[in-house]
Amino acid sequence: MRIRTFSTGLLVATVMVIPAACGSSDPEAGSGSGGEVTLWMYPVISDDAASQKYWKGVESDFEAEHPEIDLSIELQTFEQRDAQISAALAAGSGPDLVMITPDQLATYRSIDGLAPVTEAIADERDVFTQAALDVATYESELYGVPMFQNISTTAYNVEIFEQAGIDELPTTWEQVREYAPILADQGFAIMDYAGNPEVTLNVSFYPILWQGGGRIFSEDGTDVAFDSPKAVAALEFLVELQQAGGLVPEAATKSNAVEGSPLAEGEVAMRYMTSMAQLDQMKAALGEENVELGPPLTGEKQVTFGNPGMLSLTSISDESNRQAAYEVISYLTSAEVQTSLCEAADKFPTRSDVPAPGDGTDYEVMTKALEYATPGEPHPQARPVMAILAPYVQSALQGDMTAEEALTAAAEEARELLARS
């Protein structure tokens, strides 16, 4: 197994032309199952040593079952992932397969950077979660097979609520608004928020936007919609919490980390976007008896962010190697591998024949939260639009602009971007 990290400044939005795959033009090409397949895998398993051990085992097991195929799983880092993949696509040199998110899939598919993978799971398509397949399906062709599902929900420091004499943990925006000044009077912020623009909006502002009934893009994807009245009201919800002491003073610049944060120091009462790994960090910092999971918050809607990790076939892959790539996809998304991967990474399955990665109340709550999960709004310009919007959301939290001013200005810039693209 090779571990490589690429560094490049090329942005995904600048990739306009993708070279054709260098495969054979022979109509019989791809009919064989042998070949060499390279996969770029990103940190699904957070512990580096455990990740290397796991993927080395997967690689060996696959090759034992498919001796005619040479599989190379190359572990990458999240740093500059978009630029790295974009550079490879532009150069026509890189992996056959890559693990990406739905919004990345939408971008790379729009510039002909991906090839369909419908045939890879033709016999098992019905066992996969339909929502996870829908975000990867374009014109009836599947461009990504979901390997696992990320999910986050609300976590509480119950000790803070008990000290404040609040018997019912807040599950709605109205309760959050009601309890915020009560906790602020006792020196606690009610809710954790990561406003640093480097934090993906998928785990900061967007869940609040969706809970408020707003959208990022219009239904047809031709316009942005985050300057609508509902979207403005969603940002105003955060700004009002900030003004009432419901968020920590540094919320506008705060990272998404749990360890070393005000939340871990016992200064914040709840976190509305919490993964299983972050839940473990909260318990380690606050004491297991003081942390409890709950359902996703409800504003106008009850919704959370939960996106699948997709295994996609790049346009770099030679057509003569296509069947071998399909074999790898089928194997890595099988019930057996998905079961072991979800257990190793503490992720949730995208197959109906794979159980949750653990037992107990926390896993039950997380599994229930999957019913309210959205993978976001995949769009070819999702990442560039996010980069435009994030600093404006920060400006509103810092009091430099009103919520309406911030979203109006961001929408103007985003519309210029969409017009150019």
Side-chain angles (χ1 to χ4, degrees):
M1 179 180 295
R2 299 185 297 271
I3 301 175
R4 296 189 299 178
T5 302
F6 293 83
S7 179
T8 175
L10 180 64
L11 296 178
V12 68
T14 67
V15 181
M16 302 305 295
V17 179
I18 301 298
C22 300
S24 168
S25 59
D26 184 345
E28 296 300 321
S31 60
S33 59
E36 298 180 0
V37 178
T38 299
L39 163 64
W40 279 1
M41 178 55 60
Y42 291 84
V44 179
I45 301 170
S46 57
D47 181 83
D48 184 60
S51 178
Q52 293 189 48
K53 180 179 179 180
Y54 176 83
W55 291 112
K56 185 175 182 179
V58 169
E59 184 181 277
S60 298
D61 291 345
F62 173 84
E63 291 179 343
E65 290 188 22
H66 303 80
E68 74 284 3
I69 300 175
D70 180 11
L71 173 61
S72 178
I73 301 177
E74 299 180 355
L75 304 186
Q76 311 294 340
T77 66
F78 281 130
E79 183 181 3
Q80 295 188 324
R81 176 168 62 164
D82 282 328
Q84 177 193 31
I85 297 172
S86 298
L89 292 174
S93 176
D96 299 281
L97 302 172
V98 64
M99 195 278 285
I100 55 178
T101 59
D103 56 345
Q104 290 173 315
L105 186 148
T107 298
Y108 302 140
R109 187 207 62 82
S110 73
I111 55 175
D112 296 326
L114 302 178
V117 293
T118 310
E119 293 182 34
I121 59 165
D123 296 335
E124 288 198 305
R125 186 163 180 157
D126 290 347
V127 305
F128 288 89
T129 304
Q130 189 59 46
L133 295 179
D134 286 346
V135 296
T137 302
Y138 295 87
E139 298 179 353
S140 300
E141 288 282 11
L142 188 65
Y143 285 85
V145 182
M147 299 180 69
F148 60 88
Q149 173 81 33
N150 289 302
I151 183 66
S152 295
T153 192
T154 313
Y156 304 92
N157 181 339
V158 294
E159 184 178 33
I160 290 179
F161 289 100
E162 291 172 356
Q163 288 179 2
I166 297 173
D167 297 327
E168 183 179 3
L169 296 175
T171 59
T172 68
W173 282 18
E174 287 307 311
Q175 288 175 312
V176 171
R177 285 192 180 101
E178 179 186 353
Y179 299 160
I182 298 174
L183 294 180
D185 286 344
Q186 299 186 35
F188 299 108
I190 191 169
M191 197 168 78
D192 188 54
Y193 185 80
N196 189 311
E198 294 183 3
V199 175
T200 172
L201 294 185
N202 285 326
V203 297
S204 57
F205 178 58
Y206 285 170
I208 298 296
L209 174 70
W210 297 322
Q211 289 170 5
R215 291 183 55 87
I216 308 163
F217 296 99
S218 60
E219 292 281 357
D220 62 6
T222 62
D223 193 11
V224 294
F226 57 73
D227 58 343
S228 69
K230 289 184 178 181
V232 171
L235 184 51
E236 286 176 341
F237 169 66
L238 291 174
V239 172
E240 289 167 3
L241 281 182
Q242 178 79 314
Q243 294 171 344
L247 307 180
V248 295
E250 64 270 28
T253 58
K254 187 180 160 299
S255 76
N256 196 40
V258 171
E259 295 176 337
S261 71
L263 179 76
E265 297 297 324
E267 300 170 9
V268 181
M270 60 185 286
R271 180 185 174 96
Y272 67 98
M273 289 292 295
T274 312
S275 67
M276 289 300 294
Q278 292 163 339
L279 177 67
D280 290 340
Q281 292 170 352
M282 285 183 63
K283 288 182 175 181
L286 302 171
E288 187 168 348
E289 71 281 3
N290 294 320
V291 180
E292 183 175 322
L293 273 186
L297 283 180
T298 302
E300 181 177 301
K301 298 179 179 180
Q302 185 177 17
V303 62
T304 188
F305 177 67
N307 68 326
M310 316 295 295
L311 193 59
S312 291
L313 178 67
T314 74
S315 59
I316 300 167
S317 182
D318 195 296
E319 289 185 14
S320 64
N321 211 35
R322 197 57 49 88
Q323 192 59 43
Y326 290 162
E327 292 286 352
V328 173
I329 293 172
S330 177
Y331 181 84
L332 294 184
T333 60
S334 66
E336 179 183 1
V337 175
Q338 192 167 125
T339 298
S340 68
L341 177 59
C342 288
E343 289 177 354
D346 222 9
K347 305 290 186 183
F348 285 77
T350 58
R351 295 177 58 111
S352 60
D353 54 355
V354 174
D359 300 319
T361 302
D362 291 339
Y363 287 99
E364 291 174 3
V365 174
M366 281 289 192
T367 300
K368 181 69 174 177
L370 285 168
E371 299 178 21
Y372 306 101
T374 175
E377 299 176 41
H379 189 282
Q381 297 300 323
R383 293 301 177 98
V385 166
M386 185 185 295
I388 289 172
L389 178 56
Y392 283 102
V393 173
Q394 182 185 54
S395 292
L397 288 171
Q398 290 174 324
D400 299 330
M401 308 174 78
T402 67
E404 184 173 8
E405 289 170 345
L407 297 184
T408 298
E412 183 177 346
E413 281 192 37
R415 289 188 174 106
E416 291 176 358
L417 169 72
L418 294 182
R420 291 194 304 270
S421 65

